[in-house]
Amino acid sequence: APSPPPPPADLAAYTADHPDIDPDTPLFRSGRGNPIRKETLQNAWRKALERVGLPRVRVHSARHTAATPLAPIGVSRPTAS
């Protein structure tokens, strides 16, 4: 399966398609349009891991795990973060 384009390209396309959105508006928001609370994200992450039978890891740890294999193929640290 082809890999999705890197997030910066997706974000650029999204913002180009939605010029009316204030650049300071959070990209991911609650159903009411508010920023997503840290606890809400942590609960969703924990439940997703449980559903697929994976051990508990912090979102931050998963981020590092995902970024590690990107360095040898030339993805910059800011892009991988």
Side-chain angles (χ1 to χ4, degrees):
S3 298
D10 288 346
L11 183 56
Y14 179 83
T15 54
D17 290 343
H18 300 86
D20 55 316
I21 295 178
D22 180 342
D24 292 327
T25 300
L27 183 60
F28 300 104
R29 298 174 295 230
S30 71
R32 295 183 176 145
N34 299 318
I36 296 175
R37 293 184 0 214
K38 179 180 176 181
E39 296 79 16
T40 302
L41 175 62
Q42 289 171 334
N43 287 337
W45 178 253
R46 181 184 47 76
K47 288 177 185 178
L49 291 174
E50 288 173 1
R51 275 196 304 271
V52 296
L54 292 175
R56 279 190 175 185
V57 294
R58 297 175 305 143
V59 173
H60 187 78
S61 298
R63 178 177 162 209
H64 282 285
T65 301
T68 299
L70 297 175
I73 60 171
V75 176
S76 70
R77 183 176 288 177
T79 299
S81 294

